[in-house]
Amino acid sequence: VQLVESGGGSVAAGESLRLSCVASANVYCMGWFRQVPGKGREGVAAIMILGATTYYSDSVKGRFTISRDKAENFVYLRMNNLKPDDTSMYYCAARSDIGLTSDWALPHTYHYWGQGTQVTVSS
């Protein structure tokens, strides 16, 4: 399964961006992670493709919204009220099985990864 992200860019604090990711085949769960140099990959949000149940990290809850287009294998991350701390490389990830929903933020539970898209937020 191949994942291709798009939609990153540079914005000012308080502005919005929408990231998109398309999967080349059906998957059970898709998530967004972010990583800055020198730190581990952080789970941002995830969505179960069949039931559309969503999960968010505390740092983005209320500002970011994950959604999916099941028919087209797309997942989106709408990011509102962006902050400089949101600056990072954002990665789309997918699972080939449902796995444990409690593990949605653990990178090693995902089987496929995109190449990443950079988001930069200036103050």
Side-chain angles (χ1 to χ4, degrees), residues 1-89:
V1 177
Q2 292 185 323
L3 304 176
V4 179
E5 304 108 329
S6 60
S10 297
V11 296
E15 295 186 341
S16 299
L17 280 174
R18 189 180 79 157
L19 305 183
S20 300
C21 176
V22 59
S24 61
N26 291 336
V27 292
Y28 286 91
C29 170
M30 295 183 76
W32 287 96
F33 289 75
R34 63 187 183 186
Q35 187 173 24
V36 296
K39 292 193 175 181
R41 204 160 282 193
E42 174 195 7
V44 175
I47 187 167
M48 298 300 148
I49 299 302
L50 291 179
T53 304
T54 57
Y55 304 87
Y56 297 94
S57 68
D58 288 341
S59 61
V60 307
K61 198 172 295 183
R63 300 188 297 121
F64 291 12
T65 302
I66 189 169
S67 59
R68 86 325 183 211
D69 180 335
K70 184 173 65 173
E72 301 295 331
N73 287 335
F74 267 92
V75 66
Y76 307 98
L77 186 67
R78 177 69 180 181
M79 305 184 293
N80 294 330
N81 190 23
L82 281 161
K83 304 175 180 180
D85 284 349
D86 295 318
T87 295
S88 188
M89 183 71 78

